[in-house]
Amino acid sequence: MTTLPHTSAKNATTRTAPTAPPSPACHTQGCTGKKPLMTGCAAPGHVKDLGPTHRTSTGARLAFRYGTQCRAAWAMLWNAKVKVGDTLELSVPGNKPQQVEAFDSYEAQGPLITPMLDGTDLSGLRACFEPVGSRHTECFQPYP
């Protein structure tokens, strides 16, 4: 038997297959009001964009996301144009709207992410952005 230089049981490395991501902490209605990052719903490879990215009047970007394992939706707002006091609300008819506000400069550096909504029926899904100090609310839908 031939032994390769610098190999032995003492310094051998073992390779293991990557493990699957943990199951998300919620599904559908159970996700309502929860944070997608904290529940595992935003796990890489399990998030789908709902429609194109939108641009607000302040230059911030807004996108709708859907967690395929959780079957829940959320909206996110990002860009250096997000300011302390800006609010983002996600709603679908028949359900309680979910809102997030940038309370400090850390949150304003973003992204600003709404709590989730049940993604079973996303008919009428919309996100409304209200910049701080503005009386004008901009609303967007995932698909024009």
Side-chain angles (χ1 to χ4, degrees):
M1 180 169 141
T2 306
T3 305
L4 297 173
H6 307 294
T7 61
S8 70
K10 200 188 313 181
N11 64 4
T13 59
T14 57
R15 294 184 185 198
T16 58
T19 58
S23 295
C26 63
H27 293 88
T28 59
Q29 285 184 334
C31 292
T32 298
K34 295 181 180 173
K35 298 179 180 183
L37 298 173
M38 302 301 288
T39 57
C41 293
H46 297 284
V47 177
K48 180 171 107 171
D49 290 330
L50 297 176
T53 299
H54 303 276
R55 185 177 290 253
T56 70
S57 63
T58 66
R61 302 273 186 164
L62 184 141
F64 293 88
R65 301 282 195 251
Y66 178 79
T68 56
Q69 286 187 312
C70 295
R71 297 189 339 189
W74 62 93
M76 58 188 282
L77 186 71
W78 73 96
N79 191 316
K81 309 289 184 190
V82 177
K83 296 180 180 167
V84 174
D86 286 354
T87 58
L88 179 62
E89 182 177 277
L90 182 69
S91 63
V92 67
N95 290 293
K96 180 182 175 189
Q98 299 299 313
Q99 184 175 330
V100 64
E101 179 179 341
F103 285 110
D104 57 34
S105 59
Y106 174 77
E107 287 178 325
Q109 291 172 16
L112 196 57
I113 302 171
T114 67
M116 295 182 286
L117 286 173
D118 177 358
T120 305
D121 181 5
L122 296 175
S123 303
L125 180 68
R126 74 180 193 159
C128 294
F129 169 61
E130 186 174 341
V132 66
S134 172
R135 292 191 177 143
H136 175 70
T137 301
E138 300 175 66
C139 295
F140 302 89
Q141 293 185 303
Y143 301 102

